[in-house]
Amino acid sequence: MSRAAVLTGLGTFVPPRVVTNEELARTLDTSDEWIRTRTGITQRYWAEPGTATGDLAVAAGERALKSADSGGVDLVVLATTTPDHPCPATAPEVASRLGLENVAAYDIAAVCSGFVYGLASAAGAIAAGIAERALVIGAETYSTILDPDDRTTSVIFGDGAGAVVLRAGDPAEPGALLGYDLGSDGSLKDLILVPGGGSRQRAAGTAGAGEPGPRPADSYFSMQGQPVFRHAVTRMAASSQAMLDRAGWAPETVDWFVGHQANVRILHAVADQLGMARERTVVHLDRVGNTSAASIPLALADAVTGGLIAPGDRVLMSAFGGGVTWGSTALVWPGVVAN
């Protein structure tokens, strides 16, 4: 019998510091109205100095394990754009801090699509018999890579973490992930970019003759808003439709669309292209901003806790991120309570 990855636990965490639009407007050329009308965001959470992505990931992971009533897992997958260090990966330390000794653990770098990529990776390990249970975490501290003088990025992104526990199970049972649609287009890599920190730009003192050394601005995140908007809508809609075809679902039979929480206008545009009612779109970014790889599990948990998503509901998830990358998956929601 084929093995499916079944969602059995869900946990989230955001840092305590709330950053409102009004606070940002005091130092940037912007206003609460400008931010809300263009993004739908009213506030976000930023980690205090000394708090790293791994700290948020551990907190969300603990809650997901508690939600699953699980003693442990044998695989940890961490999706993040903001690892604690360029080397080593953050996932092994997260696993260790969670008391998960000697388990497989690795990071995935697919930016805002990272959580969906992480689900697919963990599900593949479960299907192959490599793992029986997996912890998939999306965690970000975007506040550590934002240019404080750039209103186009500083007003959008927030910090947070969300995690799920997957177990081996039957493809027909509630909670089973029903398949995936994944894709990328590296020719568009410059749309979403942190220029520094990799081998394309050597560290100070190692650059060869004629090669530029690192510049402080190269450590900041940059994004070309208009083309990102356009490609996000197109790719998420196409990927979502491909996933619906794979699951055998008509758009009108989907109870909830949980898209990457980048911009409320993107979410509504994708729903429109799919022929779904906008009212069936889960919106959580208004309170947390764009949390990149953490956004889908954070939105899921909020919708479950708020009573929107109920057991038996059909849930479609889709994301678009840097790379560029995109991906979608779907499931019938099980009786999982978010922690």
Side-chain angles (χ1 to χ4, degrees):
M1 183 182 72
S2 61
R3 290 158 51 102
V6 179
L7 193 150
T8 187
L10 174 61
T12 62
F13 181 82
V14 294
R17 181 190 172 195
V18 178
V19 179
T20 64
N21 291 347
E22 289 82 0
E23 178 179 343
L24 293 177
R26 289 196 290 269
T27 57
L28 293 169
D29 180 20
T30 188
S31 67
D32 172 60
E33 181 182 8
W34 189 93
I35 298 169
R36 284 188 292 106
T37 56
R38 285 161 177 79
T39 68
I41 298 168
T42 61
Q43 66 173 43
R44 72 287 296 145
Y45 295 84
W46 284 358
E48 296 288 358
T51 298
T53 294
D55 301 321
L56 306 188
V58 169
E62 287 176 339
R63 294 180 177 187
L65 291 168
K66 183 177 180 180
S67 169
D69 193 22
S70 168
V73 298
D74 39 23
L75 171 64
V76 175
V77 181
L78 173 62
T80 186
T81 315
T82 55
D84 289 3
H85 309 281
C87 174
T90 305
E93 182 183 3
V94 169
S96 178
R97 290 173 61 185
L98 288 171
L100 304 170
E101 300 295 338
N102 302 316
V103 303
Y106 53 86
D107 291 0
I108 283 184
V111 196
C112 301
S113 304
F115 183 71
V116 177
Y117 270 64
L119 291 177
S121 176
I126 289 173
I130 297 171
E132 292 297 318
R133 302 174 70 88
L135 176 64
V136 180
I137 308 171
E140 304 284 11
T141 50
Y142 257 71
S143 61
T144 63
I145 61 171
L146 295 176
D147 182 346
D149 297 323
D150 181 5
R151 74 169 183 173
T152 63
T153 57
S154 287
V155 303
I156 295 173
F157 291 91
D159 302 340
V164 298
V165 176
L166 304 177
R167 62 166 174 81
D170 190 307
E173 68 177 295
L177 295 167
L178 301 177
Y180 312 89
D181 178 80
L182 304 176
S184 71
D185 183 353
S187 70
L188 301 174
K189 67 180 180 63
D190 290 340
L191 295 185
I192 299 170
L193 184 67
V194 177
S199 62
R200 287 287 179 192
Q201 184 185 84
R202 292 180 177 271
T206 67
E211 288 185 316
R215 302 176 304 165
D218 290 341
S219 64
Y220 291 138
F221 174 91
S222 67
M223 181 174 66
Q224 300 178 37
Q226 290 186 351
V228 166
F229 185 104
R230 184 174 66 256
H231 284 288
V233 172
T234 302
R235 299 297 192 177
M236 286 173 65
S239 180
S240 293
Q241 186 60 61
M243 185 61 235
L244 291 176
D245 293 343
R246 190 163 300 171
W249 294 356
E252 61 271 18
T253 68
V254 175
D255 294 294
W256 295 104
F257 172 59
V258 185
H260 165 53
Q261 304 285 301
N263 183 305
V264 69
R265 293 185 298 146
I266 291 176
L267 295 173
H268 287 165
V270 173
D272 292 346
Q273 287 204 16
L274 291 173
M276 295 175 54
R278 291 184 176 185
E279 292 75 18
R280 289 298 180 179
T281 299
V282 171
V283 177
H284 184 232
L285 64 94
D286 55 328
R287 286 153 285 159
V288 297
N290 181 342
T291 55
S292 190
S295 77
I296 286 180
L298 282 169
L300 274 174
D302 183 73
V304 171
T305 302
L308 294 181
I309 297 178
D313 282 353
R314 290 182 169 186
V315 178
L316 170 67
M317 295 173 274
S318 186
F320 175 88
V324 296
T325 60
W326 58 86
S328 301
T329 188
L331 78 166
V332 174
W333 191 254
V336 169
V337 177
N339 203 336

